[in-house]
Amino acid sequence: MKDNKNVNRRDAIKLGLGATILGAAGMSQAHEKVMKTPFPLEQVFIPIAGSDQEFPVRRIYCIGRNYAAHAREMGSDPTREPPFFFQKPTDAIQFVAPNKLVDHPYPSLTKNYHYEVELVAALNKGGKNIPVDKALDLVYGYALGLDMTRRDLQRFMGDQKKPWEIGKSFDHSAPIGPIFLVGKTGHFTQGNIELSVNGVVKQKADLSQMIWSVAEQISKLSEANELFPGDIIYSGTPENVGPVVKGDVIRCQINGLPDLSIKIV
Ligand code: MN
């Protein structure tokens, strides 16, 4: 391994070397030759339950208004709308170990910070134009997640017909538990999904009440974008979303997965 200090500036520029040569410490010589970047970049991972492997996250998709009662509370008619999706950056991932109370930072810029409990599907295969009856073959596992939302900013931007990304796609806005292999849990097409704040139940529904099933979501998404291993999909939240403030404890439950709890700090 060549020490970065021994690479003079001219050579470094010519070779495209920089932090990478340090970041590549411990990697094979062959890999080092291939990887020439001006700085190292960390991959985001989610732990896989019962495994020493971790799931590398490629893209985070989220479906909007996927439970009828929630669509109505957001001011739309669920019966006439095709599904729509948005993304969060991988930086949004905050891993929450099961059965522990994990601190979650109240974000900047908002005065109306909302919870949305959701089932998350994690893909280990990809493709385009996946038919619904083949879509679940792409699913590697499932996790319990939260699509945390700066509701005031989401609404403010929406009212002005501007992208509401700032309301949805920010640091730590995607708390998530470990991924459970589908071979162990089966597919989640029904079962209780629930969220409580400080012990009071706020959201409670059944996964079967999704307007677009996970299979249909995968199929629809694959018409818009080629899907890839590492993509994860937040499958929407039931009605009765609402605000939290510092000190509140959010507890999420889905039948068949361990509970996930965060404390807003
Ligand atoms: Mn959501």
Side-chain angles (χ1 to χ4, degrees):
M1 172 57 63
K2 208 171 183 182
D3 191 304
N4 202 37
K5 287 173 195 157
N6 296 332
V7 180
N8 73 39
R9 191 163 179 274
R10 201 169 142 203
D11 284 347
I13 291 166
K14 188 174 70 184
L15 295 169
L17 297 174
T20 300
I21 199 166
L22 298 173
M27 291 185 182
S28 70
Q29 290 291 319
H31 194 179
E32 186 185 327
K33 280 178 190 162
V34 171
M35 192 172 75
K36 287 184 183 176
T37 63
F39 52 85
L41 189 62
E42 285 186 19
Q43 169 69 49
V44 172
F45 298 94
I46 302 170
I48 299 167
S51 170
D52 60 356
Q53 293 189 321
E54 303 215 347
F55 184 93
V57 182
R58 187 175 191 280
R59 288 183 293 198
I60 305 171
Y61 288 105
C62 308
I63 188 170
R65 298 172 195 171
N66 197 33
Y67 290 76
H70 174 60
R72 280 191 290 272
E73 79 180 348
M74 298 305 286
S76 61
D77 177 353
T79 58
R80 287 188 218 139
E81 286 193 355
F84 70 95
F85 299 90
F86 58 92
Q87 289 191 32
K88 290 178 186 258
T90 55
D91 309 70
I93 293 288
Q94 180 192 16
F95 176 66
V96 180
N99 304 313
K100 283 187 183 172
L101 184 57
V102 175
D103 285 351
H104 174 87
Y106 194 96
S108 62
L109 304 180
T110 184
K111 291 188 171 63
N112 194 17
Y113 191 40
H114 275 210
Y115 47 77
E116 297 189 359
V117 63
E118 309 200 3
L119 174 71
V120 184
L123 311 187
N124 67 341
K125 299 187 188 76
K128 294 181 189 172
N129 300 315
I130 311 288
V132 173
D133 65 353
K134 298 269 190 283
L136 291 181
D137 294 347
L138 274 57
V139 177
Y140 176 72
Y142 290 93
L144 184 46
L146 279 160
D147 166 16
M148 297 303 291
T149 303
R150 291 159 159 160
R151 191 72 69 199
D152 44 357
L153 295 181
Q154 182 196 19
R155 288 197 179 122
F156 180 75
M157 298 301 277
D159 289 347
Q160 297 187 70
K161 298 197 178 348
K162 290 174 179 170
W164 37 257
E165 181 169 322
I166 195 170
K168 284 288 194 182
S169 309
F170 52 93
D171 294 346
H172 315 298
S173 65
I176 192 165
I179 292 171
F180 286 78
L181 272 63
V182 70
K184 292 184 181 165
T185 63
H187 290 287
F188 287 80
T189 54
Q190 58 177 14
N192 190 54
I193 177 169
E194 188 172 323
L195 176 145
S196 64
V197 178
N198 303 330
V200 178
V201 176
K202 300 287 188 181
Q203 294 188 277
K204 185 172 175 60
D206 196 280
L207 295 171
S208 64
Q209 293 173 300
M210 286 184 194
I211 297 170
W212 302 89
S213 68
V214 170
E216 289 170 326
Q217 292 174 48
I218 290 168
S219 179
K220 282 285 181 187
L221 261 178
S222 74
E223 293 173 8
N225 290 315
E226 183 172 358
L227 297 174
F228 289 92
D231 290 346
I232 67 173
I233 305 169
Y234 276 66
S235 63
T237 197
E239 66 274 22
N240 297 325
V241 298
V244 282
V245 296
K246 287 182 184 179
D248 285 346
V249 173
I250 299 176
R251 182 179 182 184
C252 305
Q253 296 170 272
I254 287 179
N255 270 7
L257 295 174
D259 294 358
L260 178 157
S261 296
I262 57 171
K263 180 177 185 179
I264 310 297
V265 296

